[in-house]
Amino acid sequence: MRNLASYLLKRAAWLVLTLWAVYTVSFILMRSVPGNPFSGDRNVAPAIERQLKARYNLDAPPLQQYWDYLVGIVTRFDLGWCMGLEDYSVNQVLAEGFPVSATLAIFALVFAIILGVTAGVISAVYRGSPADLSLMFAAVMGIAIPNFVLASLAILLFVFMIQLFPAGGWGTLQQTALPAFCLGLPVAAYIARLTRTGMLEMLTKDHVRTAVAKGLPKRTVILRHVLPGALLPVVSFLGPAVARVLTGSLVLEKIFALPGMGSHFINAATQRDYTLAMGMVLTYTVLLFAMNTLVDLAYAIIDPRVKLQ
């Protein structure tokens, strides 16, 4: 318990340092881009532009902008007002978009883990069989095809030809299934290959051979003695997998017209909405850091030999 508390304190300190570094780099990069949120395609009168800059503190020196915005985040968790969405704060946009993106990510990850682990176990148990070759070929194709290409093919097949799913929207399970499938399939392909490799390695271990020699049922050997050790590489992969799901959802949310954080992130980048882009970047940083921490904890639970540091 003491090791766990010490580990969580260290992770919290690293999170603060990481957020500060991400904030600083993002602030510099966004301010380095020529122009501002009000110098795009819209023709804004100079007087109105000066008023808008004053409203969003853009008329202050860059160092003052950096400090004021950082103080607002630290003291009040205030990410400011959106520059591209009138009368909307960044906190409101995140509160509305996060449940959509989180739901999509959860469905995609659950689908990826179930499909990937199942395919990996079948491939390892029936190594060299047609089922093994077919599943690993499908896994290679799933890794090679980008999810936005997969989304386009899925829309053509399941929306226009077979007409099983709607083309977009949000609110029903049917509207969630197709984007979650497109988002989770590449991750499932990686998990399948990792599970197969881990299973084949575990099958050569002495304790597994002993269990087989004792006459234990094949199902018991696989579930109790082989699978837990084989899943360690999968658990390690889940951290990057979450990053893959979150970043992959940026494009898919736009394709399927989902009102999640990804679509707002793309709009913030194209409209040079400094505050919204910064809020999205910091939110994604917290999510990825938290998921990597959970993966480390799960790894230590699955394998007691792993010590938290």
Side-chain angles (χ1 to χ4, degrees):
M1 185 63 67
R2 182 178 300 175
N3 290 338
L4 177 60
S6 175
Y7 170 78
L8 292 178
L9 285 175
K10 290 180 182 178
R11 295 294 290 183
W14 274 109
L15 174 60
V16 172
L17 183 61
T18 302
L19 285 173
W20 173 76
V22 169
Y23 170 80
T24 302
V25 173
S26 300
F27 184 91
I28 294 173
L29 290 177
M30 284 189 288
R31 294 317 192 271
S32 300
V33 177
N36 58 67
F38 315 113
S39 61
D41 297 332
R42 296 176 297 176
N43 293 322
V44 180
I48 296 178
E49 184 173 340
R50 285 194 297 270
Q51 292 177 358
L52 290 172
K53 286 183 177 180
R55 176 184 178 185
Y56 295 106
N57 200 31
L58 295 179
D59 57 344
L63 188 59
Q64 186 65 42
Q65 296 180 38
Y66 173 90
W67 178 253
D68 291 342
Y69 193 53
L70 181 60
V71 168
I73 294 175
V74 173
T75 60
R76 304 185 303 273
F77 296 100
D78 182 11
L79 294 169
W81 291 89
C82 298
M83 299 178 183
L85 298 173
E86 188 175 355
D87 296 329
Y88 261 86
S89 69
V90 177
N91 294 37
Q92 286 177 293
V93 173
L94 292 175
E96 293 177 4
F98 177 75
V100 176
S101 296
T103 302
L104 180 62
I106 291 171
F107 272 96
L109 285 174
V110 170
F111 164 74
I113 292 171
I114 294 175
L115 178 62
V117 171
T118 303
V121 170
I122 293 174
S123 294
V125 173
Y126 301 100
R127 181 181 182 182
S129 67
D132 176 28
L133 298 177
S134 300
L135 288 173
M136 287 302 101
F137 175 76
V140 171
M141 293 300 295
I143 295 172
I145 300 176
N147 56 16
F148 60 88
V149 175
L150 183 63
S152 302
L153 296 175
I155 290 174
L156 288 175
L157 179 61
F158 296 112
V159 175
F160 294 107
M161 296 179 64
I162 305 180
Q163 298 182 355
L164 289 177
F165 301 100
W170 183 258
T172 66
L173 183 60
Q174 216 176 9
Q175 292 172 321
T176 309
L178 193 58
F181 167 79
C182 297
L183 188 58
L185 193 60
V187 180
Y190 279 103
I191 292 177
R193 292 181 64 83
L194 289 172
T195 303
R196 181 181 185 274
T197 302
M199 288 280 296
L200 293 178
E201 182 180 354
M202 290 299 299
L203 287 171
T204 63
K205 299 294 183 180
D206 292 337
H207 71 279
V208 175
R209 293 178 177 176
T210 302
V212 174
K214 288 182 177 180
L216 293 177
K218 189 174 183 179
R219 180 178 179 181
T220 302
V221 173
I222 291 175
L223 295 179
R224 185 174 300 176
H225 299 282
V226 179
L227 192 57
L231 288 180
L232 290 177
V234 176
V235 173
S236 299
F237 172 72
L238 286 180
V242 172
R244 186 184 182 93
V245 167
L246 289 175
T247 55
S249 68
L250 300 181
V251 179
L252 288 183
E253 286 179 16
K254 201 71 174 177
I255 293 175
F256 288 98
L258 304 180
M261 294 197 305
S263 57
H264 290 300
F265 198 5
I266 293 176
N267 292 334
T270 56
Q271 297 174 7
R272 300 177 185 174
D273 192 332
Y274 296 154
T275 51
L276 183 56
M278 181 67 77
M280 293 292 177
V281 169
L282 294 178
T283 301
Y284 280 122
T285 301
V286 172
L287 290 175
L288 296 181
F289 203 95
M291 290 308 303
N292 282 325
T293 301
L294 291 177
V295 167
D296 291 343
L297 293 174
Y299 202 98
I301 293 173
I302 294 176
D303 189 353
R305 296 171 299 177
V306 177
K307 302 299 181 182
L308 296 174
Q309 296 179 353

